[in-house]
């Protein structure tokens, strides 16, 4: 039965081909290392503090975040252009990386 694991295949939606399970696992490990960069090219990581470089109107909250606002403890989403943030009074705030600068 150990040889059966080596022969198992998984459908890779990105390429549209059947690949071995080992190759799929290796791809999944590298897919999690997405580089997220701020407006000036600094590499962002979970827990970083960022500052807004532009006034942003938050849809649905009826609020505008002003330039220079400090956002603490960001989380990366896996998308190279989006970061998940917490800010008082706004739930589920997602900002584009192009509008922030690492502090």
């Amino acid at each position: 039965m150990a040889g059966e694991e080596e022969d198992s295949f998984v459908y890779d939606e990105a390429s549209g081909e059947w690949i071995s399970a080992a190759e799929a696992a290796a791809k999944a490990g590298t897919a999690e290392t997405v580089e997220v960069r701020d407006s000036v090219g600094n590499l962002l990581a979970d827990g970083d503090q960022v500052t807004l470089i532009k006034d942003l109107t938050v849809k649905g909250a009826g609020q505008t975040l002003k330039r220079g606002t400090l956002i603490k403890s960001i989380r990366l989403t896996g998308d190279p252009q989006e970061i998940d943030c917490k800010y008082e009074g706004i739930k589920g705030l997602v900002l584009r990386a192009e509008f922030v600068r690492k502090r």
Side-chain angles (χ1 to χ4, degrees):
M1 288 287 173
E4 193 174 305
E5 285 183 26
E6 294 173 10
D7 296 332
S8 63
F9 287 87
V10 212
Y11 185 72
D12 182 28
E13 292 182 14
S15 67
E17 299 177 354
W18 289 91
I19 58 174
S20 70
E23 188 177 340
K27 255 187 176 180
T30 59
E32 293 178 19
T33 58
V34 175
E35 284 189 356
V36 180
R37 297 194 177 266
D38 67 359
S39 60
V40 292
N42 295 324
L43 192 60
L44 296 174
D46 286 340
D48 282 347
Q49 294 182 355
V50 293
T51 305
L52 296 180
I53 62 165
K54 162 182 183 174
D55 289 355
L56 298 174
T57 304
V58 181
K59 294 179 181 178
Q63 192 173 0
T64 300
L65 296 176
K66 299 291 183 187
R67 179 177 173 231
T69 301
L70 177 66
I71 306 290
K72 298 178 181 178
S73 189
I74 66 168
R75 272 192 358 229
L76 304 181
T77 61
D79 183 334
Q81 286 299 315
E82 294 181 350
I83 55 174
D84 192 25
C85 313
K86 286 185 180 179
Y87 189 75
E88 61 184 58
I90 303 174
K91 291 185 178 182
L93 179 63
V94 176
L95 295 175
R96 302 265 312 163
E98 64 190 284
F99 299 126
V100 299
R101 186 181 73 228
K102 187 175 179 178
R103 184 143 196 228

